[in-house]
Amino acid sequence: MLKQNLHNQICSQLPKPFVHGSNDRHAYSNHSLLSMAKARPKASHYARARRRCCRAVSDKPIKVKALVTVKQTMSDMFTGMGIERGMDDIKDLLGKTLLLELVSSELDPNTELEKPTVQAYAHKGGKVERREVKYEAEFEVPAEFGAVGAIFVENEHHKEMFLRHIVLEGFPNGPVNFTCDSWIHSKFADKRKRVFFNSKSYLPQTTPAGLVGLRDEELVHLRGNGLGERQHGDRVYDYDVYNDLGDPDANFALARPTLGGKEFPAPRRCRTGRPRCEADPSTEKKARDFYVPRDEEFSEVKLVTFSAKTLYSLFNTLIPSLGNVFADADRGFHHFKTIDSLFSVGFEVPELSKEGFWNATLPRLFAGTGNVMRFEPPGALERDKFFWMKDEEFARQTLAGLNPYCLELITEWPLKSKLDPKIYGPPESAITTELIESEIGGIMSVKEAIKQKKLFTLDYHDILLPFVHRVRELKGRTLYGSRTIFFLTPEGTLRPLAIELCRPPTNEKPAWKQVYRPCWNSTGCWLWKLAKAHVLAHDSGIHQLVSHWLRTHCATEPYIIATNRQLSVMHPIHRLLHPHFRYTMEINSLARESLINAGGIIESTFSPGKYSLDICSAAYDQFWRFDYEALPKDLIRRGMAVEDENAPHGLKLTIEDYPFANDGLILWDTIKQWVTDYVTHYYPEPDLVEADPELQAWWTEIRTKGHADKKNEPWWPQLKTSDDLIEILTIIMWVTSGHHASVNFGQYAFAGYFPNRPTITRIKMPDEDPTEEEWKFFLKRPEAVLLATFPSKLQATRVMAVLNVLSNHSPDEEYIGDEIEWSWSDEPLIKAAFEKFSGRLKVLEGIIDERNANEELKNRSGAGVLPYELLKPHSKPGVTGQGVPNSISI
């Protein structure tokens, strides 16, 4: 039909005598057959006529329909009054809710400037479904407009709205998709229109000419100018030091040093530009809400679901209320049955003015309708009430527990400190060869055990010893430097051999070192239990401050800032990383407000107290390396694996049954394969990586601004080839997914029963320079000494409540490999690669289930043993002890 119409139009451009089927008899009668033959149109005449007609057909505007999806906000649902709302309703009725402008990918061939945009207003186009409002707009797009590469959006309402996506229908080549997922400010608040690019990804050097200027302008806007205080609704990403943890204006005792710089190295956070404190101009003033760029904030979906609602209620309401329940902050537990009653009976919390508030906001903690707070038994406690007392469980959790990142192979003997002996005393450990060989039972010498890779350690000596005296000056807490030695048994399990606790010398006292080991007499057994409590408190602190906060939350924020400042949203690497950054800046800002701030949860409930973030800074300075954040290199660094091209994943594990490493390496390889497929698609030639100006600026900024205190380190990977890029991206994506999941979502399962992982030890060991009265009390009531060592009631319940919430999966959690991004689904090769990635993750779930059912793997199965599921990719909502989200979202 189209061909016939075109043929008819072409014929209409020719003289009538030459039109097939003409009814003009006069034409034939006035021409002889010969003259008609001579006058027959040449091929060139027909071609010219065809071109004229094709141009006429193509000049006809294309009718295009825009389908716009807007997420209905809570204010839309519950606010129906007010002048502004009334004006917005009128605009909806008039069909002028959103002004849309289509932007061509092409330049005008005559002016070599951007083509004029095509405008239309969007109007409501249907019922509200699943809290989504549909808007529609119709355009007449000139035929010569070219492909639509971007769209401007102006919000005609007085309130911001959350734009999900836009689809343009009617183009010959199919629909054009725009993923937005962004807040659109009102034009009355900011005249600047928002721009969104279509789902096709472009490297800078392949960007269509009509979009080059917009691409650059948008990045300039996101970088800001580094001046002024950021306001709610801003979308500016910039760097600053951690100078907002203290509150000296409220109380100078709450002053804290700035983290970031030569004295206290640290990664950088997002700049807020708040005014400075009067008492300490180096510190920013406190604010009710810390700024994060608007699109980094929790979505309203998350705000009204269990996780975010619970988080705010926990920090702002419950934690302060617990201070009223336990008026004596130092009061401890007098009996273990009192600890058990937290899970069986609970305790009353003052009811707020709103009846049922606790049950509505914290249902896991307030199961009834009243104000009785009762904790659910953690997973480990449900399986074995006495799990926390057992040496084998103490050792097993270094491989399959909450902090599997710190166990190291012993390669040198004797153990020695690297600290200055003039300050910290003799470097040699008090753990002797004779003691270890005695504990091994004559099976082999220490030399042979080291050669066979049988000895391992948790070594918190050098990182903690410099803080011992400062911490001991704080009320109600103590600290040691510690070393714990484990032996690998023929069964593949670990057995603890010895614990060394150390106190550095002072002007009045010499250094104190004591070694404890499993005993067969009552006094020795109790001292061993107490020494384990101290080590577990050390491990809890290192886990929370280093393995968790520093290595995931804190280290990732610069990646997010640099990605938004230097990589256009059109850049394929931006689109690859974006799902892995969801909500991280928001949860980090909440941490600065309530968790790691002066007097916050960490300082009040963990042994280092006000020096907690100083320890974090020391760990960053001494140990953090970007390249070692790769799981394989981390295992090699700790002596837990060696390279072996014939072994699975190219690594041979030192301990074969190492659940975290076994599962983690499969996840690492799966992520790396997905990244490899993705990168090689967009960078088919290796030299394209070095030629990408945005990518190079991104990597430079991460190193020199985001991690400025490490910028001169020689170990930073180069970014010259596709392989370099694949390794860098895999590290970032592993840290935000697998690493974070492994140290976060098991917190309540393992530490919800705090005797298993006390966060603080409040009194020293009974044999450290004891008075006669102290020693007699220990001999008479050793259980009371252990309970006095544990956290107070207030400290314990605060930590338990926090861990319960932080271990929770939100109903809107986005798990790794679960949802495909729109930009990926529009690329067939990328879509296929993602489907393979998703399929491999499902296989991993089955592998983990099989391993947990294998009774030969004694570090993850057995009587009363909690299966290791922290790296199972998917989970249902709630506290499940499994599930790997894309991002650090809690």
Side-chain angles (χ1 to χ4, degrees):
M1 180 64 72
L2 287 174
K3 288 183 178 180
Q4 182 62 47
N5 290 339
L6 181 59
H7 173 76
N8 293 339
Q9 293 185 52
I10 293 171
C11 291
S12 70
Q13 299 293 317
L14 298 173
K16 284 193 176 180
F18 309 119
V19 178
H20 176 69
S22 173
N23 292 321
D24 192 342
R25 292 176 177 268
H26 179 73
Y28 287 97
S29 63
N30 291 335
H31 290 80
S32 65
L33 290 175
L34 178 61
S35 64
M36 288 182 65
K38 288 182 178 179
R40 185 177 294 169
K42 297 179 181 179
S44 59
H45 296 160
Y46 190 88
R48 281 196 295 270
R50 180 181 177 87
R51 285 196 296 270
R52 285 196 299 270
C53 291
C54 286
R55 193 179 303 122
V57 172
S58 64
D59 284 345
K60 188 177 181 180
I62 304 171
K63 290 189 176 182
V64 174
K65 185 176 183 179
L67 303 175
V68 183
T69 302
V70 172
K71 197 73 178 177
Q72 189 178 40
T73 65
M74 295 304 295
S75 58
D76 292 332
M77 295 172 67
F78 299 118
T79 304
M81 303 293 289
I83 295 175
E84 289 184 350
R85 176 58 188 264
M87 294 173 66
D88 290 345
D89 287 344
I90 291 172
K91 288 198 172 184
D92 284 345
L93 290 172
L94 295 175
K96 291 190 174 183
T97 305
L98 291 166
L99 175 61
L100 308 180
E101 297 183 40
L102 308 185
V103 180
S104 174
S105 296
E106 302 173 2
L107 295 177
D108 188 306
N110 298 318
T111 65
E112 296 186 355
L113 299 174
E114 286 87 354
K115 294 180 179 180
T117 60
V118 179
Q119 299 184 357
Y121 281 100
H123 57 86
K124 279 189 176 180
K127 295 181 179 179
V128 177
E129 296 181 4
R130 294 180 301 178
R131 289 188 56 210
E132 289 186 344
V133 185
K134 304 294 183 180
Y135 291 85
E136 296 177 1
E138 293 182 352
F139 301 87
E140 288 199 350
V141 180
E144 70 278 6
F145 189 73
V148 176
I151 188 166
F152 284 115
V153 181
E154 183 177 76
N155 177 9
E156 305 296 311
H157 277 191
H158 287 77
K159 289 186 176 182
E160 64 180 358
M161 58 176 61
F162 189 77
L163 184 59
R164 288 296 313 277
H165 47 76
I166 301 172
V167 180
L168 301 180
E169 296 180 343
F171 289 108
N173 294 328
V176 181
N177 299 317
F178 296 82
T179 301
C180 305
D181 285 329
S182 181
W183 289 97
I184 311 298
H185 57 260
S186 166
K187 76 172 186 179
F188 301 103
D190 186 350
K191 295 294 184 184
R192 179 185 173 87
K193 298 173 183 176
R194 287 294 307 278
V195 63
F196 296 96
F197 299 98
N198 71 30
S199 60
K200 187 170 179 59
S201 298
Y202 296 99
L203 300 180
Q205 53 269 45
T206 63
T207 306
L211 303 179
V212 170
L214 277 180
R215 181 174 186 143
D216 293 340
E217 287 174 17
E218 180 70 358
L219 285 173
V220 169
H221 174 72
L222 292 170
R223 291 172 194 145
N225 59 11
L227 302 174
E229 183 176 0
R230 299 266 60 90
Q231 303 297 322
H232 175 76
D234 286 353
R235 298 172 52 245
V236 174
Y237 296 77
D238 202 356
Y239 301 94
D240 207 346
V241 292
Y242 282 81
N243 61 351
D244 62 347
L245 302 178
D247 192 7
D249 282 353
N251 186 336
F252 202 75
L254 296 177
R256 295 293 181 269
T258 294
L259 301 183
K262 186 175 182 180
E263 187 175 2
F264 295 99
R268 299 300 190 257
R269 64 167 175 90
C270 183
R271 179 186 176 277
T272 65
R274 297 197 304 273
R276 300 303 179 95
C277 293
E278 296 177 7
D280 179 9
S282 67
T283 301
E284 281 189 349
K285 283 182 177 290
K286 284 292 177 185
R288 183 176 180 181
D289 296 304
F290 285 18
Y291 164 80
V292 295
R294 185 65 179 101
D295 289 338
E296 303 297 335
E297 297 180 28
F298 288 150
S299 69
E300 284 207 344
V301 178
K302 192 173 181 79
L303 286 173
V304 298
T305 56
F306 175 79
S307 131
K309 182 172 61 178
T310 300
L311 207 57
Y312 288 116
S313 301
L314 173 75
F315 291 150
N316 299 322
T317 309
L318 179 61
I319 295 301
S321 295
L322 291 177
N324 298 324
V325 176
F326 304 107
D328 183 357
D330 298 324
R331 186 178 181 85
F333 294 90
H334 294 302
H335 307 281
F336 274 94
K337 66 180 181 182
T338 311
I339 299 175
D340 294 339
S341 72
L342 296 175
F343 305 98
S344 57
V345 179
F347 54 90
E348 289 192 1
V349 176
E351 185 62 272
L352 299 185
S353 56
K354 181 180 178 182
E355 186 177 353
F357 173 84
W358 294 124
N359 182 255
T361 56
L362 296 156
R364 279 183 56 84
L365 300 179
F366 294 85
T369 57
N371 58 340
V372 175
M373 179 175 175
R374 183 170 61 250
F375 293 96
E376 293 187 3
L381 183 66
E382 281 190 311
R383 286 178 171 263
D384 184 352
K385 184 178 180 180
F386 304 105
F387 80 108
W388 66 277
M389 300 176 62
K390 298 176 179 178
D391 286 354
E392 60 269 29
E393 182 65 12
F394 169 56
R396 189 190 73 86
Q397 288 183 25
T398 65
L399 300 171
L402 189 54
N403 187 26
Y405 281 93
C406 291
L407 189 71
E408 296 180 312
L409 178 70
I410 294 176
T411 58
E412 296 180 355
W413 193 267
L415 301 176
K416 288 186 178 182
S417 169
K418 296 179 181 178
L419 298 174
D420 186 348
K422 294 179 182 178
I423 300 174
Y424 299 104
E428 292 80 15
S429 170
I431 301 175
T432 64
T433 300
E434 293 75 20
L435 185 148
I436 295 299
E437 289 179 349
S438 172
E439 286 299 315
I440 293 175
I443 297 175
M444 62 183 70
S445 65
V446 168
K447 183 177 180 180
E448 186 62 25
I450 291 175
K451 183 179 179 181
Q452 293 188 27
K453 299 183 178 181
K454 296 290 187 181
L455 292 180
F456 298 83
T457 182
L458 282 181
D459 191 344
Y460 299 139
H461 181 276
D462 285 9
I463 189 66
L464 295 181
L465 201 66
F467 295 92
V468 166
H469 290 312
R470 281 180 278 175
V471 168
R472 287 183 168 213
E473 291 174 358
L474 304 176
K475 180 185 176 183
R477 62 192 68 213
T478 192
L479 189 66
Y480 296 99
S482 67
R483 297 184 181 99
T484 306
I485 310 298
F486 300 90
F487 177 73
L488 183 62
T489 70
E491 288 185 313
T493 59
L494 291 175
R495 181 162 70 88
L497 302 181
I499 292 173
E500 178 184 22
L501 300 179
C502 304
R503 182 197 69 201
T506 64
N507 292 332
E508 295 80 25
K509 293 182 179 180
W512 181 86
K513 297 181 180 181
Q514 187 64 42
V515 178
Y516 305 90
R517 51 181 172 171
C519 282
W520 302 102
N521 66 78
S522 180
T523 300
C525 284
W526 277 105
L527 288 173
W528 172 249
K529 287 183 176 67
L530 287 162
K532 282 200 300 182
H534 284 276
V535 168
L536 288 166
H538 301 165
D539 191 62
S540 293
I542 295 298
H543 159 260
Q544 206 63 263
L545 296 170
V546 181
S547 300
H548 189 186
W549 167 254
L550 171 63
R551 295 180 64 180
T552 64
H553 290 261
C554 191
T556 295
E557 189 149 339
Y559 311 149
I560 303 172
I561 299 171
T563 298
N564 284 278
R565 284 168 55 87
Q566 299 299 340
L567 297 180
S568 166
V569 291
M570 284 198 290
H571 201 292
I573 302 307
H574 186 290
R575 284 174 164 158
L576 176 66
L577 290 174
H578 183 260
H580 294 276
F581 295 155
R582 181 177 186 244
Y583 300 149
T584 301
M585 292 181 74
E586 172 82 339
I587 199 69
N588 284 3
S589 74
L590 287 174
R592 302 204 317 271
E593 290 179 53
S594 303
L595 279 174
I596 64 172
N597 60 306
I601 303 298
I602 295 294
E603 286 195 2
S604 63
T605 60
F606 283 73
S607 284
K610 62 184 283 188
Y611 301 106
S612 294
L613 272 293
D614 296 28
I615 291 175
C616 184
S617 174
Y620 179 71
D621 182 40
Q622 297 172 34
F623 305 121
W624 189 87
R625 286 180 52 161
F626 179 86
D627 55 337
Y628 283 176
E629 294 307 290
L631 177 60
K633 288 187 178 179
D634 172 74
L635 294 169
I636 293 169
R637 176 187 66 83
R638 294 189 284 120
M640 303 304 292
V642 294
E643 292 183 351
D644 184 347
E645 62 182 15
N646 297 318
H649 321 292
L651 291 180
K652 179 177 175 58
L653 293 176
T654 309
I655 300 175
E656 291 184 9
D657 182 14
Y658 186 177
F660 159 71
N662 295 132
D663 299 351
L665 285 170
I666 297 178
L667 181 57
W668 167 272
D669 281 356
T670 303
I671 294 171
K672 189 167 187 176
Q673 185 58 59
W674 156 236
V675 174
T676 301
D677 293 341
Y678 191 94
V679 168
T680 52
H681 176 73
Y682 287 104
Y683 295 91
E685 301 297 331
D687 57 355
L688 289 174
V689 169
E690 196 167 10
D692 185 336
E694 287 185 7
L695 194 67
Q696 294 300 323
W698 168 77
W699 185 234
T700 297
E701 190 165 287
I702 285 174
R703 292 182 290 111
T704 62
K705 290 189 176 181
H707 287 273
D709 300 328
K710 296 275 191 176
K711 64 183 178 182
N712 295 320
E713 296 289 354
W715 40 254
W716 283 103
Q718 292 183 320
L719 182 52
K720 292 186 176 182
T721 68
S722 300
D723 287 343
D724 297 336
L725 179 58
I726 289 165
E727 183 72 5
I728 289 167
L729 294 173
T730 305
I731 290 173
I732 292 174
M733 292 162 64
W734 159 257
V735 167
T736 63
S737 57
H739 183 145
H740 180 257
S742 68
V743 296
N744 184 77
F745 292 104
Q747 291 188 92
Y748 191 70
F750 287 105
Y753 188 73
F754 69 84
N756 183 57
R757 291 186 66 80
T759 57
I760 188 172
T761 46
R762 296 187 296 148
I763 61 173
K764 62 183 178 63
M765 288 291 292
D767 59 340
E768 182 199 340
D769 302 332
T771 63
E772 183 177 350
E773 184 179 350
E774 288 172 340
W775 184 250
K776 284 183 178 179
F777 182 79
F778 163 66
L779 294 177
K780 185 177 180 180
R781 297 190 58 196
E783 180 181 323
V785 174
L786 180 61
L787 288 167
T789 301
F790 284 156
S792 69
K793 288 184 177 181
L794 178 59
Q795 290 168 333
T797 51
R798 278 181 169 177
V799 169
M800 291 165 68
V802 170
L803 297 186
N804 185 290
V805 172
L806 295 184
S807 301
N808 179 72
H809 285 298
S810 170
D812 74 335
E813 196 83 88
E814 293 183 2
Y815 296 98
I816 188 166
D818 208 17
E819 295 289 337
I820 188 168
E821 298 291 304
W822 217 340
S823 60
W824 303 343
S825 61
D826 284 351
E827 290 280 352
L829 291 177
I830 297 300
K831 181 180 179 182
F834 180 83
E835 288 171 350
K836 286 192 291 184
F837 172 57
S838 183
R840 293 188 188 105
L841 292 171
K842 290 181 174 62
V843 171
L844 173 58
E845 294 209 348
I847 291 172
I848 291 174
D849 288 338
E850 289 177 5
R851 287 172 171 174
N852 287 332
N854 186 348
E855 294 184 8
E856 297 298 315
L857 302 178
K858 301 185 184 302
N859 289 323
R860 64 189 309 151
S861 66
V865 171
L866 187 68
Y868 190 76
E869 298 182 313
L870 289 173
L871 292 176
K872 286 188 75 171
H874 301 97
S875 171
K876 62 183 181 181
V879 178
T880 64
Q882 56 186 248
V884 181
N886 275 319
S887 65
I888 304 164
S889 58
I890 194 166

